[in-house]
Amino acid sequence: MRGRGEPPEGPPENPSGGDDEYRSLVFDESFVRAARLQELSARERMGEPARAVRSRPGRVTRRHRSRAGITLVVLIALAFATAVYMGFRNPYPTPVARRAEPLQTTVVPLAPQGPVPGGTTETLLDDGPAAGFRTGASGINLPGVRRTKNFSESQVTIALTTVKDYLVGSSLDPDVLTGGVVRPVGRLLDPDQTAQFDRSVDSPSDDGEHMATGWLVRFDPAEVALADPEIRVQGTFAYAEAGADTLEVVSDHTFTYMLRPAVSGPHRADEASMFTVRRVLRFLLDREDIRLHRLEVRSAYVQAGPQSCSADMAGTFRPLLAGERADTRGPAGTDPYATGVPKAALCGALVVSSRSPDPLRGPDAARSPPSRP
């Protein structure tokens, strides 16, 4: 039997009865209302520890997330607007599109006044004007670099380094000199000059624009070979601005090659002989050229000998070797009534002093272009 009330209203009057043994398990109504019911999750029923019920976020949490989302959207919009504004207010000037002009070339053969001296490479170098020259790329020294009005010191350095790479590839690479390879030279040219360069190499012409010898030093491998792979070099650089977006570099270097006949014969001595090439090249490099490590060769003035005045040097140089003499014919004639680009019918006498003075002219050589020979 049950008592008159339920706990906590008090114990029943009848302490004995059939339900007395379950009295300790009876919960009052207030205890039941305060109890929190939780349903076990599947993982908990299987014995894995996990939360049975996830509490739902309150209004404060939802409000906080809403504000954070709005703040993120505002920040993204401000960043985008700033990027657009900076794009219109770019502090760096936009490079002006400029097309490279064709190379203008003048090649002057230097004729000896007697037979070409021959001997061993050591004797010719020790007694000749190239005795004090350096060997290979070490003879192409960059000048002291200073920034200009519109170009930084690093940009000037890159421009001079690009010109040096061109001189090394076009004047010192054995594969270029006698192997017919042109890639070390062509890869450094402005794309606007590529077609002119390819035509000059494939179909050279003595017209002042398509002479391969204006772009590079080249010999006929069937006629001559290098008696010494070490080439002696000495010269100077000069640089100055040719405009707000263009840097001009002038190189003036003399290269001395030791040559011998490619094939020995009864009328040819096996002795070595010297062949000298002086190259005065004018380069232009804009900001895009400096960034891409390329250049434009604007003009080339070349003196080379010993050669005959009548030698055809459009494709390769025609050296006179040890014991040979220049022919008596003068340079090819030029018709002043002809149309098109006039040919440069020039020739000089090869006069070599015992020792050449040092051509380095101090720091001024880095700022003022050398006079044209």
Side-chain angles (χ1 to χ4, degrees):
M1 297 180 62
R2 299 180 58 182
R4 295 179 303 173
E6 298 291 338
E9 296 179 359
E13 294 181 358
N14 185 12
S16 61
D19 296 334
D20 290 344
E21 55 181 324
Y22 300 105
R23 185 175 298 122
S24 61
L25 302 177
V26 177
F27 301 99
D28 62 7
E29 184 178 357
S30 61
F31 181 84
V32 172
R33 285 197 302 265
R36 182 180 179 184
L37 299 179
Q38 293 186 351
E39 181 182 357
L40 295 177
S41 65
R43 289 186 177 179
E44 285 186 327
R45 290 196 297 269
M46 295 176 64
E48 297 183 10
R51 294 189 57 176
V53 178
R54 296 183 180 179
S55 59
R56 297 177 61 185
R59 293 183 179 180
V60 177
T61 303
R62 288 196 296 269
R63 187 181 301 111
H64 176 72
R65 290 183 178 178
S66 177
R67 290 179 179 177
I70 295 174
T71 303
L72 179 61
V73 172
V74 172
L75 290 177
I76 293 175
L78 288 176
F80 180 76
T82 302
V84 172
Y85 175 78
M86 293 301 295
F88 285 109
R89 296 292 300 272
N90 185 6
Y92 300 100
T94 302
V96 179
R98 182 184 63 85
R99 290 191 60 84
E101 298 183 8
L103 168 65
Q104 300 296 323
T105 301
T106 301
V107 181
V108 180
L110 301 178
Q113 297 178 328
V116 176
T120 64
T121 57
E122 294 78 7
T123 302
L124 293 173
L125 288 173
D126 292 341
D127 297 337
F133 286 14
R134 293 187 178 182
T135 301
S138 62
I140 306 178
N141 297 315
L142 300 183
V145 178
R146 299 177 183 176
R147 65 163 298 140
T148 63
K149 181 180 179 181
N150 296 291
F151 290 88
S152 65
E153 182 176 326
S154 62
Q155 289 176 316
V156 175
T157 301
I158 294 173
L160 292 172
T161 302
T162 304
V163 172
K164 177 177 179 178
D165 291 343
Y166 181 88
L167 293 176
V168 171
S170 63
S171 308
L172 301 177
D173 191 330
D175 294 331
V176 174
L177 297 178
T178 59
V181 177
V182 297
R183 177 172 173 76
V185 182
R187 65 181 178 84
L188 294 173
L189 295 176
D190 189 288
D192 293 337
Q193 290 189 320
T194 301
Q196 183 190 11
F197 174 75
D198 292 340
R199 179 181 170 186
S200 300
V201 172
D202 297 335
S203 302
S205 175
D206 188 11
D207 58 1
E209 289 190 355
H210 299 96
M211 301 184 70
T213 48
W215 300 96
L216 45 82
V217 177
R218 201 178 195 189
F219 304 106
D220 185 354
E223 296 292 330
V224 299
L226 292 174
D228 187 353
E230 301 294 341
I231 300 164
R232 274 64 180 181
V233 189
Q234 188 159 281
T236 60
F237 283 103
Y239 64 88
E241 288 190 7
D245 297 311
T246 308
L247 194 67
E248 178 186 60
V249 179
V250 177
S251 65
D252 184 357
H253 289 79
T254 300
F255 302 86
T256 300
Y257 304 88
M258 307 304 298
L259 304 179
R260 61 174 177 80
V263 179
S264 300
H267 302 290
R268 279 191 166 182
D270 291 333
E271 294 178 317
S273 61
M274 287 197 307
F275 187 81
T276 303
V277 180
R278 183 181 181 185
R279 308 180 72 195
V280 181
L281 306 177
R282 178 170 167 254
F283 304 89
L284 291 181
L285 300 93
D286 58 24
R287 299 182 187 278
E288 189 73 1
D289 293 332
I290 294 174
R291 184 180 69 86
L292 297 176
H293 194 65
R294 69 189 188 191
L295 47 77
E296 170 191 348
V297 190
R298 177 57 63 86
S299 64
Y301 186 87
V302 181
Q303 296 176 331
Q307 297 182 105
S308 295
C309 291
S310 60
D312 180 8
M313 300 175 297
T316 62
F317 291 114
R318 306 292 180 178
L320 295 173
L321 302 177
E324 295 181 339
R325 294 175 175 266
D327 57 35
T328 57
R329 293 177 296 169
T334 300
D335 182 4
Y337 297 98
T339 59
V341 180
K343 296 182 179 180
L346 301 174
C347 188
L350 179 60
V351 178
V352 179
S353 59
S354 59
R355 296 280 180 175
S356 292
D358 187 354
L360 297 178
R361 297 187 291 274
D364 292 339
R367 294 189 294 275
S368 58
S371 59
R372 184 170 178 172

